[in-house]
Amino acid sequence: MSQTGKTKTAWSLLLLQLTAIVFTGCISEDVLHPVTSDPDAKAMITFVAAEYSTSTKPYFENVVKEFETKYPNIKVELQVINWDILDSAYNTMISRNQPPDLLLTNIYAHFAKDGLLNSMDDILSTELKDKFYPYLMDSGRMLGKQYTVPYVTTIRELYYNKDIFNEVGLTEPPKTWRDLEEDARKIKNTKQVDGFGVDLTDNEIWAYLSYFFYGAGGGWMKDGEWAINSPENVEGITFLKNLYEDGLTDPEPAVTTRDEKQRILGNGKLGMLISGNYFEAVVPHEYPGLKWAKGPIPVKEGQTPLVLGVQDVWMSFKTDHTNKEALSKFLDFIYEDGRYEEFVLREGFLPTIRTVGSKLAANDPSMKQNLDSIKSAKFYPINNPAWSAVLNATRNMGQTVLLGQMTPKQALDRLQQIALDKSR
C-alpha cells in the first residue's frame, strides 16, 4: 500500500472511532485523561496543599510562580488550606466532581478503592521515582499500583523541658510507662505545672492512640486484619485515661492542640509531651532561651522501644483536564534538590528522597539519627481503604473516654466494628 493510501486508511479508522464515541457515549479513559507529547500544548494543574505553618503558602506560591515562568504553557491553580478544614474542603470539591489534579494530605486508600485516582506509575519520571527511599513508598501502594508518593515524613519522640527536669531532680527522660507516671507526678507535685501533655483533639488523637497501642504491644492491625479492640490496645488507652484522672496530664487533652502544648512547654508550664521532629525547628526558634531535650516514646515495661513515623503524600485525581506529562514536570520541579531541601528545612520535616537526605545527614547528626530511626518506624495503615472511616470515628473519642461516657473497651469495640464494616 502507498504512503497516501496508508494515510487515508488511518484517517478513516480515526473517523470511525470518533463516530462510535459520539453515538455510543463511551469515551475511553485515555480520551478523558490525555497525555500530550506536544510541548506547545496548553495544560492546567489544580493543586491543593495542606498548610503546615505561615511559611507554607508563600513557599508554594513562589514554587508555582517559578514553575509557570519555566513552563509558560502550564497553568497552576494553587490552594493552600489549613489542616483544620482541609478534609472538608477537598471532600466538597470531590462531591461536586471538581477534585484537584494534585492533593497533598495524609489519607488516600478509599479514593483509590473508588477508582478516583491516577496511578503515580503513569506520572512519575524515572529519575524522580529512583530518588525516593524505597521503604517510604510501601504505604502508597495498593493492588500492585503506586497511588501516592511521600512528600514529607516525621518521627515522633518525647520532648521535655530540661530546666523543669533539672529543678525536680530528673536526669533522663522516662523510658517506660511506670517512669512516665512517676516523673509526671514529681513534676506536678514539685513544680505545680502539668507533667505530661496529651493531644486528643480532632487532628492528633490517632497519633496518641498509636503511641499507647504500640507501647502496649498492640497496634491498629495484626497479620493483615484489624485488631483495634485487642487486649493490648485496651490496656494502653486505660493507662492513658488513668494518667488523666490522676491529674498527671494537662487538664484539657481534647481541647488544647499539640502546637498549643508546645508553646506551654516553651513557657515553662509543661514538663513533656510527644511531638514530631518539627518541634526542633519550631519551638526553639519561638523560645530561644528554652533548654530542651528528647527521648524515646515511653512503652509498657518489657516492650521494645517505639518509633512512630508519619507521612504526608501526593495523590492525583482523575479530572476532565488531567495532563500526566504536565503533572510529571511539576512533580520533578517540586522535588528538585535545592527547592525541596528548602521546604524540608523551613518546615522542620525529614526528606523522603535520598539525594537530599544524604546531604542533610552528612552535615547534621540529628538528621542522620532521625533518618536511621525511620527505617524501623511503624506507620498508620493509610493503604487500607477503611482507614479514613476509622480516623474520622476517633475524632470525638477522646472526650467520650476521658469523661467516662464510654469505657476504653467500648470505644475500641466501636472503632473495630467500623473498620470491619468499611472493609466489606
Side-chain angles (χ1 to χ4, degrees), residues 29 49 52 63 93 102 142 155 159 178 181 232 256 299 316 348 382 385:
E29 184 171 306
Y52 296 99
V63 168
M93 296 175 196
L102 280 176
M142 279 179 60
I155 60 171
Y159 290 86
R178 185 180 297 115
E181 182 177 1
E232 294 85 358
T256 312
V299 296
S316 173
I382 66 170

Side-chain angles (χ1 to χ4, degrees), residues 339-356:
R339 185 172 293 108
Y340 180 66
E341 179 182 335
E342 178 189 350
F343 184 81
V344 167
L345 294 177
R346 180 190 295 231
E347 301 285 1
F349 290 123
L350 302 181
T352 61
I353 56 175
R354 293 177 291 104
T355 47
V356 172

Side-chain angles (χ1 to χ4, degrees), residues 184-195:
R185 181 170 281 110
K186 195 168 188 179
I187 292 169
K188 183 75 172 182
N189 292 342
T190 306
K191 274 291 286 182
Q192 302 300 308
V193 299
D194 297 325

Side-chain angles (χ1 to χ4, degrees), residues 368-414:
K368 184 180 186 308
Q369 179 186 9
N370 289 338
L371 287 173
D372 287 342
S373 294
I374 205 167
K375 294 176 185 178
S376 59
K378 298 180 183 296
F379 288 90
Y380 303 134
I382 66 170
N383 57 351
N384 189 300
W387 174 242
S388 174
V390 172
L391 184 149
N392 285 331
T394 66
R395 293 186 188 275
N396 296 320
M397 181 179 145
Q399 190 82 1
T400 300
V401 171
L402 293 181
L403 296 181
Q405 297 165 351
M406 297 179 76
T407 66
K409 177 69 163 59
Q410 289 170 333
L412 297 186
D413 282 344
R414 178 174 173 271

Side-chain angles (χ1 to χ4, degrees), residues 36-44 72-74 323 326:
T36 178
S37 58
D38 180 2
D40 296 322
K42 302 292 183 182
M44 181 175 71
N73 291 312
I74 303 176
N323 186 306

Side-chain angles (χ1 to χ4, degrees), residues 24-83:
T24 64
C26 298
I27 303 176
S28 73
E29 184 171 306
D30 289 337
V31 174
L32 280 174
H33 311 297
V35 179
T36 178
S37 58
D38 180 2
D40 296 322
K42 302 292 183 182
M44 181 175 71
I45 297 171
T46 53
F47 165 33
V48 173
E51 183 179 48
Y52 296 99
S53 73
T54 55
S55 298
T56 307
K57 186 176 180 180
Y59 171 84
F60 279 124
E61 286 176 339
N62 189 58
V63 168
V64 168
K65 181 179 178 181
E66 291 178 348
F67 179 79
E68 290 180 338
T69 299
K70 183 175 182 179
Y71 298 101
N73 291 312
I74 303 176
K75 173 68 176 174
V76 180
E77 294 184 357
L78 167 68
Q79 292 187 69
V80 178
I81 303 175
N82 187 275
W83 276 108

Side-chain angles (χ1 to χ4, degrees), residues 74-313:
I74 303 176
K75 173 68 176 174
V76 180
E77 294 184 357
L78 167 68
Q79 292 187 69
V80 178
I81 303 175
N82 187 275
W83 276 108
D84 291 339
I85 59 172
L86 178 64
D87 289 355
S88 61
Y90 66 67
N91 281 320
T92 298
M93 296 175 196
I94 294 167
S95 69
R96 294 175 178 171
N97 199 28
Q98 296 175 331
D101 292 300
L102 280 176
L103 172 64
L104 174 61
T105 187
N106 55 14
I107 52 175
Y108 79 94
H110 57 306
F111 296 137
K113 180 183 178 183
D114 291 342
L116 300 180
L117 300 182
N118 293 308
S119 171
M120 282 292 182
D121 294 321
D122 300 331
I123 294 173
L124 293 179
S125 66
T126 302
E127 294 77 16
L128 179 54
K129 192 179 298 185
D130 289 343
K131 279 186 173 185
F132 290 105
Y133 289 111
Y135 51 86
L136 294 179
M137 296 286 275
D138 293 343
S139 60
R141 197 172 294 117
M142 279 179 60
L143 302 175
K145 289 186 177 182
Q146 190 76 40
Y147 283 107
T148 73
V149 291
Y151 186 47
V152 291
T153 187
T154 63
I155 60 171
R156 303 299 179 89
E157 296 176 282
L158 184 84
Y159 290 86
Y160 62 97
N161 186 310
K162 286 183 68 175
D163 282 334
I164 291 177
F165 269 52
N166 290 336
E167 288 176 29
V168 303
L170 297 174
T171 58
E172 61 180 11
K175 293 181 174 61
T176 67
W177 286 357
R178 185 180 297 115
D179 295 337
L180 175 64
E181 182 177 1
E182 291 175 355
D183 291 355
R185 181 170 281 110
K186 195 168 188 179
I187 292 169
K188 183 75 172 182
N189 292 342
T190 306
K191 274 291 286 182
Q192 302 300 308
V193 299
D194 297 325
F196 178 49
V198 174
D199 187 349
L200 300 182
T201 62
D202 284 2
N203 286 333
E204 190 72 1
I205 181 171
W206 45 88
Y208 266 82
L209 293 178
S210 298
Y211 305 148
F212 289 89
F213 284 0
Y214 291 123
W220 293 97
M221 306 190 78
K222 183 177 182 180
D223 300 327
E225 302 293 334
W226 289 104
I228 300 173
N229 60 346
S230 69
E232 294 85 358
N233 291 352
V234 172
E235 182 182 11
I237 303 310
T238 300
F239 173 76
L240 182 58
K241 181 184 179 183
N242 290 340
L243 287 179
Y244 168 76
E245 291 178 341
D246 290 345
L248 302 180
T249 71
D250 62 285
E252 297 183 316
V255 177
T256 312
T257 67
R258 178 198 64 216
D259 291 346
E260 292 172 302
K261 293 182 206 300
Q262 288 183 161
R263 295 186 183 96
I264 296 170
L265 185 146
N267 277 321
K269 302 298 182 182
L270 177 65
M272 52 189 162
L273 83 163
I274 302 172
S275 188
N277 52 272
Y278 38 77
F279 178 103
E280 301 167 27
V282 175
V283 182
H285 175 75
E286 193 169 348
Y287 300 92
L290 174 67
K291 295 178 181 178
W292 61 274
K294 64 180 181 178
I297 297 172
V299 296
K300 180 184 174 184
E301 290 72 12
Q303 293 298 320
T304 57
L306 167 63
V307 176
L308 181 73
V310 179
Q311 285 185 5
D312 294 335
V313 297

